[in-house]
Amino acid sequence: EWFAENKERYEIAKSDVLTFVDQLIPELAAADPAFSAETQSKKCLLRIYRDVRFSKNKDPYKNNYGIFFAVKGKGVNEPGYYLHIQPGACFFAAGFWMPEASDLKKIREEIDYNTSEFLEIIEAKDFKNTFQLSQEDKLKKAPKGYETDHPQIEILKLKSFIATFPIKDEEFFKPAIVNKLKNAFKSVYPFIVFLRNAVQQ
């Protein structure tokens, strides 16, 4: 009932978000050639409705706008870019969230085989100045096939490979936010390419 009464407000805000996404699409396409500049903003905007089937939280609606910039489109689990707009909790993230077991195995193997390349990416100045590698989704023990004293064991324990940085609410009211995200797209692109190459093998 509340949503029905406030739907006009929601649609106005949604229109603002889509206009903003329209500005970001060509910037991302310039940074990542695999992402089409013809992508429609409405294809990037995630539904406001929550999937409550397997959740204790039965709230029917999200209290944020989620924008996922996917190369292959919605419904395909792949490395991509995500923008979260929520008062007091805005952030940008890029990487591979909850990959399937087969893809996760490939990513770990790629990091193990090409450690120096991976470290060069996440320790690059532009990357380090902007992003942090999320530690939220992680095994407590070493994954199968890896010793506990592996020099990169903390990275190999990850179950999602996500680079993220917070954004202050007020930044969205300034034109500079587009340039900030443009630079973020460029900085995180090598990370996305590494993950893509890993799972495509």
Side-chain angles (χ1 to χ4, degrees):
E1 293 79 5
W2 180 92
F3 191 73
E5 292 172 5
N6 289 273
K7 190 158 187 189
E8 186 176 352
R9 291 174 60 202
Y10 163 72
E11 292 293 347
I12 291 170
K14 179 181 174 182
S15 178
D16 285 344
V17 171
L18 292 175
T19 299
F20 178 51
V21 174
D22 281 333
Q23 296 177 54
L24 297 178
I25 285 172
E27 303 295 353
L28 178 53
D32 184 345
F35 182 77
S36 173
E38 304 302 316
T39 301
Q40 294 179 303
S41 55
K42 65 181 181 181
K43 298 287 187 183
C44 302
L45 189 63
L46 302 181
R47 287 161 49 91
I48 194 71
Y49 308 100
R50 296 183 66 252
D51 183 351
V52 300
R53 290 174 299 172
F54 310 108
S55 175
K56 291 181 180 178
N57 180 356
K58 298 301 181 182
D59 290 347
Y61 305 107
K62 300 172 186 174
N63 57 1
N64 68 276
Y65 282 101
I67 301 109
F68 184 64
F69 301 91
V71 170
K72 296 178 183 177
K74 285 184 180 179
V76 180
N77 196 19
E78 60 169 340
Y81 310 83
Y82 175 74
L83 181 62
H84 187 94
I85 302 176
Q86 177 182 351
C90 300
F91 67 88
F92 174 73
F96 205 161
W97 182 72
M98 295 294 287
E100 297 287 339
S102 58
D103 285 338
L104 181 56
K105 184 174 184 287
K106 290 177 182 178
I107 292 169
R108 286 176 175 150
E109 288 175 349
E110 190 70 12
I111 292 171
D112 186 31
Y113 297 156
N114 294 303
T115 303
S116 59
E117 180 186 348
F118 185 76
L119 293 179
E120 187 177 330
I121 290 168
I122 65 171
E123 292 175 0
K125 184 179 178 181
D126 286 347
F127 187 97
K128 285 187 73 174
N129 286 347
T130 307
F131 292 96
Q132 282 192 326
L133 207 57
S134 174
Q135 302 292 314
E136 289 183 15
D137 197 19
K138 197 171 187 179
L139 295 172
K140 291 182 179 179
K141 297 180 179 180
K144 187 177 179 180
Y146 298 94
E147 300 296 330
T148 55
D149 61 352
H150 190 291
Q152 304 307 324
I153 194 61
E154 292 307 312
I155 292 176
L156 294 172
K157 284 181 182 178
L158 294 173
K159 294 191 289 181
S160 291
F161 291 84
I162 304 292
T164 182
F165 75 88
I167 305 174
K168 295 178 180 177
D169 293 2
E170 55 266 29
E171 293 188 67
F172 285 96
F173 297 99
K174 301 173 184 177
I177 185 64
V178 174
N179 198 52
K180 180 169 187 169
L181 288 167
K182 172 185 174 180
N183 292 333
F185 295 152
K186 291 179 180 178
S187 300
V188 84
Y189 175 63
F191 179 68
I192 291 287
V193 169
F194 184 93
L195 296 174
R196 276 189 196 144
N197 290 340
V199 299
Q200 287 171 2
Q201 291 183 18

